[in-house]
Amino acid sequence: MSLNSPHAPAPDPRQLFEQMLLIRAYEDAIVTGSAAGSIPGTCTSVGQEAAAVGVVNALGADDLILTNHRSAGHLLARGADPGRLLAEVMGRRDGYCQGRSGSLHISARELGVVLTSTIVGAELSMATGVALSQTMLGRPGIVACFFGDGAACEGSFHESLNLAALWHLPVLYVCENNQWQAYVHRREAMSRERVSDWAAAYGIPAVTVDGNDVDAVLEAARHAAAQVRQSGQPYLLETWTYRTRGHLEPDDQAYVDAAEREYWRARDPIATCRERLIAAGRLTAAEAATIEDKVASRIDTARRFAEASPFPPIPTAAELARGVYA
C-alpha cells in the first residue's frame, strides 16, 4: 500500500489482488514453518485477506492502526516488509521489534501501527486513548481498530464504544467477524447474529459487509473512514468473513463442521477476486500466474532473510526498557 491522502483515488484492483496473494503466501509460510517446528505457533488469518486489504487501503498516511493477534494481513497491506515480519515472529534481531514481540505484539511506528495485542479486546481499550490523544493534540488522522467477534463479547468492546460515542472520538471500529472465537463458534457466545447490531445502542452508525469481497470492503471502508473524518465521531464496520485455518498453528480444526468449512472455502476471497478480474478483462490467467510467481519469490526471499538474521543478545537490565512506552 502507498500511504496516500484519504482523498486519493481507489487503488488498482490488481494491486489489491497482489496484496491478498502476499498475505496468503506469507501465512502459508507460517503454517509450513509451524508444522516443521521452525516457527513458533502463530495465529493466522487465512481466508480473511479481503477484509484486511479492503480496510487498510481505505486509510490515509496520517491514520493510526491498532490490531489484534491476527495482524499479519493488516501489517502487510499497510506496507510492512515480510522479511522483517517473519524475522520478528522467529524472534530474530532484524524483526520490527528486534525479536522481542514475536507475532503477537508487533508495532511499527513508521507504518502508523501503534500496537498489536494478543489480549482479546485490549486494542479496543487502547483505541479510545489513542483517539483522545489525536483529538486533544489536534493531530490529523483517524484511528482504525481491528478486532474479532470474540472481542465483541468482551466488556472492553462496550466500554470503548460508549466512551468513543460520549467523547466524540474519531475511531473506525473494524470487526472481522470470522465466525469462530478461538475454539468456540460465535453462535455459542453471541445473542445477536451481527456485531454491527450492538453499535446502535451507543448511537454509532454501523454496517455489515461481505468480508470476502475486497471491492465491497474497500467501498464500505472508504465511506466509513470519510464519515469518521468528517464527523470526528466513531463508526463500526463489520466484515463478514471466515478463517479457514485453526485458532493457533498447528491446528487441524477437527472441531469444525466439514460442510461449513467447505462452504466458506468455495467463497475464497482470492479466487473470487481473480475470477472477477479475468471476467472483466482486467487480468489474464497468465498475468495472474506471473503475479503469483512474483509473490512466491518475495516470500522465499523473506524467509531466507529471516533465517539469516541472528538472535538478539541476552539483554542487560538497562536494555530491557528500550523501546517501551512510559
Side-chain angles (χ1 to χ4, degrees):
M1 171 191 173
S2 56
L3 302 184
N4 296 318
S5 159
H7 307 294
D12 184 340
R14 291 164 58 110
Q15 176 188 345
L16 303 180
F17 173 63
E18 183 171 339
Q19 286 182 11
M20 288 195 292
L21 281 173
L22 179 66
I23 296 167
R24 178 71 59 85
Y26 172 87
E27 295 208 304
D28 280 348
I30 293 285
V31 170
T32 301
S34 294
S38 60
I39 295 177
T42 302
C43 294
T44 59
S45 57
V46 177
Q48 300 179 208
E49 296 85 3
V53 168
V55 172
V56 173
N57 276 275
L59 302 178
D62 293 323
D63 298 334
L64 301 177
I65 292 174
L66 293 91
T67 181
N68 61 7
H69 49 286
R70 303 189 194 281
S71 63
H74 312 136
L75 287 155
L76 288 168
R78 190 66 168 175
D81 180 335
R84 291 185 65 192
L85 275 184
L86 198 54
E88 187 60 41
V89 172
M90 296 170 68
R92 305 303 179 94
R93 190 178 64 192
D94 294 313
Y96 272 98
C97 301
Q98 295 80 53
R100 295 183 177 189
S101 77
S103 67
L104 300 176
H105 298 282
I106 296 175
S107 64
R109 185 174 182 177
E110 63 269 37
L111 299 174
V113 179
V114 179
L115 64 83
T116 295
S117 175
T118 184
I119 306 300
V120 176
E123 69 277 20
L124 286 158
S125 300
M126 295 291 291
T128 48
V130 174
L132 180 62
S133 174
Q134 290 286 90
T135 301
M136 293 180 69
L137 296 174
R139 292 174 175 164
I142 66 173
V143 175
C145 179
F146 291 90
F147 60 101
D149 46 301
C153 295
E154 297 277 342
S156 56
F157 168 80
H158 299 277
E159 294 165 1
S160 184
L161 265 65
N162 181 56
L163 280 181
L166 181 65
W167 293 345
H168 307 293
L169 300 179
V171 184
L172 172 57
Y173 291 100
V174 182
C175 178
E176 294 177 318
N177 190 335
N178 63 18
Q179 316 302 310
W180 281 89
Q181 304 176 8
Y183 305 101
V184 176
H185 197 281
R186 61 169 178 77
R187 293 193 184 98
E188 299 177 64
M190 290 174 56
S191 62
R192 305 296 294 268
E193 184 78 357
R194 312 278 185 174
V195 171
S196 57
D197 292 343
W198 288 335
Y202 304 101
I204 294 176
V207 66
T208 298
V209 65
D210 181 355
N212 281 20
D213 182 338
V214 70
D215 296 327
V217 175
L218 176 63
E219 180 180 359
R222 284 168 66 89
H223 171 76
Q227 288 285 98
V228 176
R229 251 180 266 285
Q230 291 163 13
S231 68
Q233 299 192 46
Y235 191 107
L236 191 148
L237 172 63
E238 179 182 22
T239 60
W240 194 257
T241 185
Y242 195 85
R243 59 172 169 83
T244 55
R245 296 289 308 177
H247 171 59
L248 177 70
E249 296 296 337
D251 179 355
D252 62 5
Q253 284 192 306
Y255 47 89
V256 177
D257 179 75
E260 174 185 292
R261 190 165 53 213
E262 289 311 308
Y263 167 81
W264 281 97
R265 282 180 174 170
R267 301 180 66 251
D268 181 87
I270 297 176
T272 299
C273 182
R274 180 193 292 109
E275 292 165 7
R276 183 178 296 170
L277 290 174
I278 290 175
R282 307 195 68 167
L283 184 73
T284 66
E287 289 170 335
T290 298
I291 295 173
E292 289 167 359
D293 289 343
K294 173 186 173 183
V295 166
S297 176
R298 189 175 176 191
I299 292 301
D300 184 59
T301 298
R303 179 185 55 77
R304 287 187 279 109
F305 170 84
E307 290 174 347
S309 177
F311 287 101
I314 297 174
T316 64
E319 289 173 333
L320 284 173
R322 184 184 301 165
V324 178
Y325 289 102

